[in-house]
Amino acid sequence: MTNKKIVILGTGGTIAGTASNAADHLGYTAAQVGIAQLVAGLPLTGNACELMSEQVAQIDSKDMDFAVWQVLAQRVSHWLAQPDVQGIVITHGTDTLEETAWFLQAVLNPERPVVLTCAMRPATALAPDGPQNMLDAVAVAAHAGARGVVAVCAGVIHGARDVQKVHTYRLDAFSSGDAGPLGYVEEGRLRLVRNWPQAPVDKAQAAIKNIAAAAGSLPWPRVEIVMNYAGAGAAVVRALVADGVQGLVVAGTGNGTLHHALEVALLEAQADGVRVVRATRCLEGRVLPKPGDAIPDSQGLSPVKARVALMLAMRGQG
Ligand code: ASP
């Protein structure tokens, strides 16, 4: 009987970072070590699955963009189409991990597990967190019944919809907010407290067809994020509209509230055909809509994920 395979796709990040001083967790360069080397360093004897690796990108995830996402989605689709592939692990920088996770969940909604993992310390650190995170991610990818796009960091399993980086330095840098994590990885075993992620934004499903067909040639709609704050005005929105923006996500205060000057500009933009969505800059909770709201809410998505959803919805319609 052939072993099931787990494919580990490398995209860079601190998990592949190097520093000249092992005690330096800040002055390192991300995305230096190849995925084959990271996998080779794992103590995986006795693992029931065969591990394969592929370098899809080698970037600091602060520089992530739709072109890389497109290639990544295509490689994940390619590997998931092989019947002997049990699951995928993706090594990724922490900075935009939640956006990549949501993008992949929205366009692929995979029946098998796609597990993003990361590190807060470079590979050359005295006590790097990357190897344990990778081992935990492999345990999740190998778990019977696991499905959907999830993130694993510091022994915690988060769903793509809820995961958010909430800390700049701590090893346990992610939270699922109100929803809570999906579960935990303890000594290679999973303790689940919620169900695996199910189908997300319906409209986004159409986008994968375009993604597969377009291979980078079709431009993505331009969607930007603006924020409400004390003294927020109309200037940024008006400048963006003049510059040809097609969609705007506003990170409102509290329950999506907006300074009246910003609101006026957003309503003008909407009247000019710009798609506008209202999220909240609060880390927890969601915008609760009221009857008659002129600007639709983000359905519980954070501003950065609402932007991805809006771009996919606009692309899916286009
Ligand atoms: N800037 C790095 C990245 O996102 C941070 C990290 O991986 O922790 O690639």
Side-chain angles (χ1 to χ4, degrees), residues 12-15 28 30 59-62 92-96 118-121 165:
T14 296
I15 193 165
Y28 62 87
I59 59 168
D60 186 316
S61 82
K62 70 181 175 56
H92 198 288
T94 56
D95 288 346
T96 57
C118 56
M120 291 297 283
R121 292 179 179 166
K165 186 173 180 182

Side-chain angles (χ1 to χ4, degrees), residues 226-245:
V226 294
M227 190 186 265
N228 193 50
Y229 45 84
V236 173
V237 168
R238 287 188 181 143
L240 286 168
V241 172
D243 200 41
V245 80

